[in-house]
Amino acid sequence: MAQNTTENGKTSNEDRRHPGEDAAIGIEDVSTIPKGTVDPVYEAKARVLNKAIQDISMGWYQWQLFIVVGFGWASDNLWPIITSLIFTPILNEFHPARAPLLSLAQNIGLLAGAMFWGFGCDVFGRRWAFNLTLGITAVWGMISASAPNFAAIGVFAALWSFGVGGNLPVDSAIFLEFLPASHQYLLTILSIDWAVAQVIANLIGWPLLGYRTCQQTDTDCTRAKNMGWRYFMLAMGGLTLVMFALRFFCFTIYESPKYLMGKGLDGEAVRIVHEVARRNKKTSELSIEDLKACEPEGYENHRTNTSDVVKRKLEAVDLTHIRSLFATGKLAYSTGALMLVWAFIGLGYPLYNAFLPYIQSTRGVDFGDGSTYITYRDSLIIAVLGVPGALLGGLLVELPHFGRRGALSLSTILTGIFLYCSTTATSSSSLLGWNCAYNFTSNIMYAVLYAFTPELFPTKDRGTGNALTATSNRIFGIMAPIVAMFANLETAAPVYTSGALFIAAGLLVGTLPFESRGKASL
C-alpha cells in the first residue's frame, strides 16, 4: 500500500495502517465481540471477518442456512410439547407415584444440553454440534418408544432433551456468525418455527393419541391398549431424523470462519469466506494478508489447543462483565429485573404448559366429555392459535408509544389473566376458549422476549447478559415439576401459581428503565 509523507518527511500514522487494520475501522460499534476480553490479535481478525461477511451481504447460502437453522428452533419447542402430550397416556399405563418426575427429567436434560453444547461448540466446533444435536434427539426419541416402565421413559426423556438443549445456543451462534449485521433481525423471525412446531406435534398426535391410547376413565390400561404414544414417539423421532438428514446430506454447513481463525487456521477461514461468497454468486476481497496485517511484528500464529479455547471462553465470562451489567443503578435494576422476568416465566410456563393436556383431560372428565379424542383435538386447536400470536408480536414491538416494553408487559399480564379465567370454565368449550387465548398471548410474549432481551445489554457484555437470563430460566424450569409434585395437578393450585408468576413478570417488565424501539443497541 502506498504511503504518504508529511512535510518533515515522516510517514503519517494514518497511512501506516495495514489492510487488516483498515478493514476493521468503522465496524467496532456493531461488533458483538466483547472488546478487551480476548487477545487483541484475535479481536482485530474477528472484526475483519465481520466486515467480510457484511460485504458479501445476504445471499443464497444464508437463506438456506435460515431454513435448516429453523429445524433447531422447531425442535426446541417440539420436544417439550411431545413430553406434555404423552404425559397422560404414560400416567394411565405406568401409574407412577411421582408423575411430574418425567418433566423434571426433561428439564435436567435441557439444562445439561444447553451447558454442554453451548460451551462445547467453542471447543470442537459448531459444525459437528449443529448436526449432532438433532441426530441425538431423533435416536433417543425413537428408542423411547420401547420404554418398559416409567423410569425408562424418564431416562430417555433426559437423553433426548440433552440433544434438544443444544439447539438454540449452537444454531443461533452459527447463524449469527454467517449473518450480515444488516439482517440480524432474521433471528427474531425464526420464532415462527417455534409456533409451527407445536401445531405439527398436535396435528400428528391427535389421531395417534386420540384414538390409540387408553381413556382417562379406563381402569385397566395395558400396553396393547395404549400403543398410540409409542407410535407417536416413532413418528416424532422419525420427523426429527428427516430434519437431521436434510441438514447432514442436503446442505453443506461450513465451519465458522471465526472459530477456524481462533484455532490458528487463517487460510481455512479465508477459504470459507470465499466459498460462501461463491455460493452467493459474489466475490470477496478478503485475503490471508488482511488477517496477517492484524498481527504485530514477530507474532507467531500457532494453532490453539483446547486449553487455549477454554481459557478464552472463561475470560469471556469474567466477573468484570457481570459487574459491568450492574455498574449503575439503572443498569443494575434493568439486569436484575430481566433475570427475574426470565425466572418467573421459566417457572410459570412449564408449570402449566407441560401438564396442559393432562389438565384438559381431568377437567373434561369432570365436565363429562374427557375422551382422548376431544383432549388432543383441543390441543391442536390451542396450538394453531400460537402461530398468529408469534406474527402479531413482531408488529406490536414497532407501535409508537408502545414498543417492546409495552408489548411484552401487556402480553405477559394477559397470559396470567387468561390462566386465572380458565379456572372459571364450566364446560370443555369454555376451557378450550380460555386456553386458546392463553396460548395466543404467550406466543406474543415469547416472540417479544427473545428480541427485547439482547437489545437491553451493551454489546461488550451481551453474551454474559444472555447467559444470566438463560440460566435463570432453566434453573426455575427445573423447579416447575418439583412444585407440581407438591401442588395436586387435579386442583387449580398449579394454574393459580403459574398465573401469578406471569402477572408478576408482566408488571416487572413495565418497570424496566429502558425501551429499545427505534434505537440502536449499544
Side-chain angles (χ1 to χ4, degrees), residues 271-472:
R271 186 189 71 80
I272 294 298
V273 170
H274 281 273
E275 186 61 27
V276 172
R278 185 191 65 80
R279 292 277 292 273
N280 288 357
K281 296 185 176 7
K282 299 279 184 71
T283 58
S284 174
E285 297 180 357
L286 180 70
S287 68
I288 194 168
E289 286 75 22
D290 292 329
L291 295 180
K292 296 297 183 186
C294 299
E295 301 172 1
E297 187 176 349
Y299 180 82
E300 182 181 353
N301 186 15
H302 58 88
R303 298 190 178 191
T304 57
N305 54 34
T306 300
S307 64
D308 293 328
V309 178
V310 172
K311 181 180 178 182
R312 179 182 296 133
K313 188 68 176 177
L314 292 175
E315 288 173 349
V317 293
D318 187 87
L319 286 178
T320 56
H321 296 289
I322 297 178
R323 286 194 291 268
S324 295
L325 294 173
F326 295 87
T328 67
K330 271 191 173 182
L331 197 54
Y333 181 79
S334 178
T335 303
L338 266 179
M339 290 176 64
L340 277 177
V341 167
W342 275 83
F344 288 165
I345 292 175
L347 176 55
Y349 186 79
L351 184 59
Y352 183 70
N353 220 58
F355 309 109
L356 181 55
Y358 179 76
I359 292 172
Q360 287 175 220
S361 178
T362 53
R363 293 288 300 279
V365 171
D366 296 337
F367 298 143
D369 54 0
S371 69
T372 54
Y373 169 83
I374 292 176
T375 296
Y376 293 105
R377 180 207 64 184
D378 289 355
S379 293
L380 174 60
I381 295 171
I382 292 167
V384 169
L385 265 293
V387 177
L391 294 174
L392 182 59
L395 299 175
L396 289 178
V397 295
E398 296 300 331
L399 288 179
H401 310 296
F402 195 61
R404 275 85 159 145
R405 184 169 52 194
L408 182 57
S409 179
L410 180 61
S411 60
T412 307
I413 291 173
L414 286 176
T415 298
I417 290 175
F418 287 138
L419 280 183
Y420 276 121
C421 290
S422 71
T423 63
T424 67
T426 56
S427 67
S428 287
S429 297
S430 58
L431 180 62
L432 172 62
W434 290 124
N435 282 330
C436 284
Y438 155 78
N439 200 45
F440 179 78
T441 55
S442 66
N443 272 271
I444 296 175
M445 174 191 72
Y446 267 112
V448 180
L449 184 65
Y450 283 133
F452 188 34
T453 298
E455 293 175 340
L456 294 182
F457 297 124
T459 298
K460 70 183 186 68
D461 305 310
R462 187 166 293 147
T464 301
N466 287 341
L468 289 174
T469 53
T471 300
S472 300

Side-chain angles (χ1 to χ4, degrees), residues 115-126:
M115 294 174 63
F116 176 81
W117 295 109
F119 183 80
C121 71
D122 277 348
V123 177
F124 48 74
R126 279 90 160 107

Side-chain angles (χ1 to χ4, degrees), residues 12-302:
S12 67
N13 289 336
E14 181 180 352
D15 293 325
R16 286 198 193 100
R17 290 196 300 263
H18 296 291
E21 293 171 321
D22 287 333
I25 291 175
I27 62 172
E28 180 174 341
D29 289 340
V30 297
S31 176
T32 58
I33 300 175
K35 190 172 183 179
T37 59
V38 296
D39 70 85
V41 174
Y42 175 89
E43 185 174 353
K45 289 183 177 182
R47 294 181 189 281
V48 172
L49 290 174
N50 279 347
K51 186 172 187 300
I53 294 294
Q54 180 64 46
D55 289 343
I56 293 172
S57 72
M58 193 72 181
W60 181 236
Y61 178 78
Q62 285 95 338
W63 285 117
Q64 287 180 308
L65 187 60
F66 176 76
I67 294 172
V68 295
V69 164
F71 296 160
W73 247 255
S75 177
D76 184 72
N77 194 31
L78 180 70
W79 284 90
I81 290 296
I82 289 170
T83 306
S84 71
L85 290 174
I86 65 173
F87 185 78
T88 301
I90 283 177
L91 261 61
N92 291 337
E93 181 176 341
F94 297 131
H95 305 290
R98 296 285 189 182
L101 285 174
L102 177 62
S103 182
L104 177 62
Q106 170 192 264
N107 281 286
I108 290 174
L110 288 172
L111 177 61
M115 294 174 63
F116 176 81
W117 295 109
F119 183 80
C121 71
D122 277 348
V123 177
F124 48 74
R126 279 90 160 107
R127 186 174 61 177
W128 283 107
F130 185 73
N131 286 316
L132 285 176
T133 48
L134 282 181
I136 289 172
T137 303
V139 169
W140 287 111
M142 290 187 290
I143 289 176
S144 67
S146 65
N149 51 49
F150 184 73
I153 190 63
V155 171
F156 293 144
L159 290 172
W160 81 57
S161 296
F162 178 74
V164 174
N167 282 311
L168 285 187
V170 174
D171 291 14
S172 61
I174 201 163
F175 189 44
L176 282 174
E177 287 169 15
F178 281 106
L179 198 62
S182 58
H183 285 72
Q184 288 188 2
Y185 67 89
L186 288 175
L187 199 64
T188 304
I189 304 299
L190 282 169
S191 295
I192 192 66
D193 292 297
W194 219 69
V196 170
Q198 186 176 4
V199 175
I200 293 174
N202 282 277
L203 192 61
I204 297 174
W206 182 16
L208 292 177
L209 301 173
Y211 289 101
R212 296 183 176 274
T213 57
C214 299
Q215 298 295 322
Q216 184 67 25
T217 55
D218 195 338
T219 57
D220 182 29
C221 182
T222 63
R223 176 171 177 151
K225 294 180 182 177
N226 206 42
M227 288 296 292
W229 74 266
R230 300 177 189 273
Y231 298 145
F232 180 61
M233 294 306 300
L234 289 172
M236 292 294 93
L239 176 62
T240 307
L241 190 62
V242 169
M243 294 191 290
F244 165 76
L246 288 173
R247 271 189 178 184
F248 195 80
F249 297 109
C250 301
F251 177 74
T252 303
I253 178 70
Y254 299 120
E255 187 55 86
S256 162
K258 276 187 279 189
Y259 169 78
L260 293 169
M261 177 270 293
K263 298 286 284 186
L265 302 172
D266 289 0
E268 187 67 9
V270 172
R271 186 189 71 80
I272 294 298
V273 170
H274 281 273
E275 186 61 27
V276 172
R278 185 191 65 80
R279 292 277 292 273
N280 288 357
K281 296 185 176 7
K282 299 279 184 71
T283 58
S284 174
E285 297 180 357
L286 180 70
S287 68
I288 194 168
E289 286 75 22
D290 292 329
L291 295 180
K292 296 297 183 186
C294 299
E295 301 172 1
E297 187 176 349
Y299 180 82
E300 182 181 353
N301 186 15
H302 58 88

